[in-house]
Structures are given as structure tokens and as C-alpha cells.
Amino acid sequence: MGLTLDNPFIVSSSSLTDNADKVKKCADAGAGAVVLKSLFEEEIQAEIDASGEGTDHTEAVDYIREIQTGAGIKRYTTLIKDASAAVSIPVIASVNAVTRNWWEQHVPRLEAAGADAIELNISLMPYDYKDSEAAILDFYIKTVESVCKLVSVPVAVKIGFHFTSIPAVVDALKWAGARAVVLFNRFYQLDIDTTNLRLKSGSPMSSRDDLALPLRWITMMYGKTEAELAASSGVHQGDDAVKVLLAGAQVVQVCSTVYKNGYEHLGVMQRELEAWMDGQNFQTIDAFRGRLSQKRSDKPETFERLQYIQALVGQS
Ligand SMILES: Cc1cc2nc3c(=O)[nH]c(=O)nc-3n(C[C@H](O)[C@H](O)[C@H](O)COP(=O)(O)O)c2cc1C
């Protein structure tokens, strides 16, 4: 994305990065960059709904909407300014909106506040049976196209893994203007409390098993799409970072492991990566990035299928 990072570890968008002190903790612990906690359209909408309760006058509702939205954006631009002033590593702003108009209106203000890049967290949850797959993809593409026309900083798009063809989506986002795609967002997990017969939330934290999905798709796409690929989901140790870099990731986003092990774990993972590089005699990450991708395979046409068949028949 044209950003210079000292190392590939980025603290991903979460409450680990929701104020300048925490962003400084990330930088002090050795993060290469941070993605700030997302600005959520729906969170601001909830504030508007709460403050407009009991008001049915349309003009009053519009006024409250404007004030609350302005206050929400102001809080976020202050976060960008404070975080950027506190650290010298790149600070990436993150937005999660559900209406196109909202992205177009507000994303330019994040650039103006000093964000080094913007991550669009597009996580639509299609619950309407009338929302076709084509219409949803069209929303993604048009949103990215219009945002990229409005800002000059690089834009990344963070997506989930529920698509019919992830390579097609990644490529479409690239052609819409995204410089990078983050694979993958971890959606809100739903669970059911069988004692109290209630819905409850599942664990927001990932486990190392979740690495399998970014690993598969980055391995398949490295060198074939012009989008840079950031791995997110399941990177908990230095060895996991080694794997996604060997697959072809440009950078490694980490979140759950930092919640679990503290900011200092960023330094631990970095040292584990360096120790592995020393052991393998690699001086730079470029020397091994994508080494185990499908593109670099000697049997690209049977790459993934071959692994599957070998697993089935138990061959090494
Ligand atoms: C408590 C929590 C809060 C999060 N908040 C956000 C957010 O505001 N925006 C976002 O794009 N992702 C958010 N995420 C998702 C993470 O950025 C990350 O993509 C996901 O946790 C997978 O990475 P991991 O396996 O390293 O945890 C959140 C995750 C957690 C656990």
C-alpha cells in the first residue's frame, strides 16, 4: 500500500486500538502499524435512536441525526489525530458502514484527520431473502469505487469468507480501487443459552485453527491478484506469521492473541519470526514471501487437490 513498516505485524481493528494510549502501547511493544477500532455507522445510528426517542417531529429527528453523527465523527477524527501524534508507525483508520452514502460522506474526513490509510470493513449480513449475491457484490464494488475516488490515501478492504468465489471478489475489489484486501474479518458469533432459552454471543476470540482459511486463500491468490493480501484470523504465534508469509501475505494482522497475551506478545512473535528466519538463513521477508503459494508450486494445476488427496490416502 506504499506504507513503510518496520515489521509485518499490524494490530488489527479492535478495542486494543481505541485510544491513543493503547496505540502507543502497540507501537512501544513493536507493532509495525495499527488499524484503529472501527467507526461504526450502526453505533452512531443507535445513539441517534436513543436520543431521538419520543420525538416524532421530522425536522427535530433530522437535527438530532446531524448533531449525533457530527459528534461521532468528531470523536473518531480526534482519535486519528491523537493516535498519529503519539506514534511514528502508520495509523490506519477503519470504517464499518451499511449504507453507501455514509461511506462517501464521512471517509474523506478520516483522511483529512491524518489517517495514513483507510480500511473499509464491509461486513454486510444479508438477512433479506431478496438480496441476491450479485446485488451484494455490486454494493461492495460500487462502495469501494466511490470511496477510492474521494480519498488519495491507500484503501484496504476487509472482507469475510462467505463468498462463492473469493478470488473473484478480491480481484473485483482490486479493480474497484482497493490496494489491499484483508482476509478475513471475524463476524459476531451467535450462540444459544439452552438453560435460559436465550440467544447469547459466542466467543469473539479466534483460535489457531482459524488460520486455515486465510492460509488457504492467500496461498491460492498470491501473485495472481494485484491486490496485496493481509492475513487476519488465527495468527497467535510467530510460527503462524511464518506460515501466512510463506503463503504470500504482505502483512499479518493480530488481535485475539494480543488480548490473550498482552501487548508484549507483539515483541515475542517478532522474535519468533526472526529466530525462524535466522534458522532458515533468510535475510529478508521478501526472500521467502509466497514461497509455498500455488503460483510458485511446480504443479500449480493440482496444487490444492493434491494436498487433499494426500491427506485422504494418508501419504506424506
Ligand atoms: C473484541 C474484538 C473487537 C473487534 N472489533 C473490530 C472492529 O471494530 N473492526 C474490525 O474491523 N474488526 C474488529 N474485530 C476483528 C479483528 O480485527 C480481527 O479481524 C479478528 O479478531 C480476527 O483476527 P484474530 O484471529 O487475530 O483475532 C474485533 C475482534 C475482537 C476480538
Side-chain angles (χ1 to χ4, degrees), residues 12-16 35-40 94 96 119 121 123 158 182 184-186 204-207 210 232-236 253-257 259:
S12 66
S13 181
S14 60
S15 51
L16 292 166
V35 185
L36 297 176
K37 168 87 186 152
S38 299
L39 169 67
F40 282 99
S94 163
N96 178 312
E119 185 176 284
N121 169 355
S123 330
K158 187 176 187 182
V182 183
F184 292 102
N185 194 12
R186 183 176 170 79
M205 303 297 163
S206 70
S207 76
D210 294 307
S232 172
S233 278
V235 175
H236 283 234
Q253 291 201 359
V254 286
C255 178
S256 297
T257 196
Y259 273 108

Side-chain angles (χ1 to χ4, degrees), residues 73-136:
I73 306 285
K74 178 100 182 39
R75 273 201 307 273
Y76 201 72
T77 52
T78 304
L79 168 63
I80 296 171
K81 283 182 193 150
D82 291 350
S84 305
V87 298
S88 55
I89 57 173
V91 171
I92 301 166
S94 163
V95 195
N96 178 312
V98 287
T99 54
R100 238 182 54 225
N101 188 26
W102 210 89
W103 306 85
E104 292 168 1
Q105 252 183 307
H106 303 301
V107 171
R109 297 182 58 184
L110 312 187
E111 176 178 30
D116 292 300
I118 305 220
E119 185 176 284
L120 307 179
N121 169 355
I122 312 187
S123 330
L124 301 182
M125 185 63 73
Y127 53 84
D128 190 326
Y129 289 85
K130 292 195 285 299
D131 289 339
S132 73
E133 189 180 342
I136 289 163

Side-chain angles (χ1 to χ4, degrees), residues 17-51:
T17 57
D18 66 1
N19 68 45
D21 287 344
K22 292 184 188 174
V23 168
K24 180 144 187 347
K25 277 190 186 158
C26 295
D28 291 347
V34 292
V35 185
L36 297 176
K37 168 87 186 152
S38 299
L39 169 67
F40 282 99
E41 175 185 358
E42 282 164 308
E43 194 177 318
I44 295 183
Q45 184 57 47
E47 287 173 11
I48 294 169
D49 293 346
S51 56

Side-chain angles (χ1 to χ4, degrees), residues 7 39 64 69 101 113 160 251 285 293 298:
N7 68 72
L39 169 67
I64 290 168
T69 305
N101 188 26
V251 289
I285 289 174
S293 60
D298 49 0

Side-chain angles (χ1 to χ4, degrees), residues 7 19 43 49 66 78 111 118 147 162 175 206-207 222 234 237 242 244 272 276 293 315:
N7 68 72
N19 68 45
E43 194 177 318
D49 293 346
E66 218 166 281
T78 304
E111 176 178 30
I118 305 220
V147 168
H162 302 288
W175 293 115
S206 70
S207 76
Y222 170 79
Q237 298 180 10
V242 168
V244 291
E272 287 169 350
W276 177 85
S293 60
Q315 288 173 2

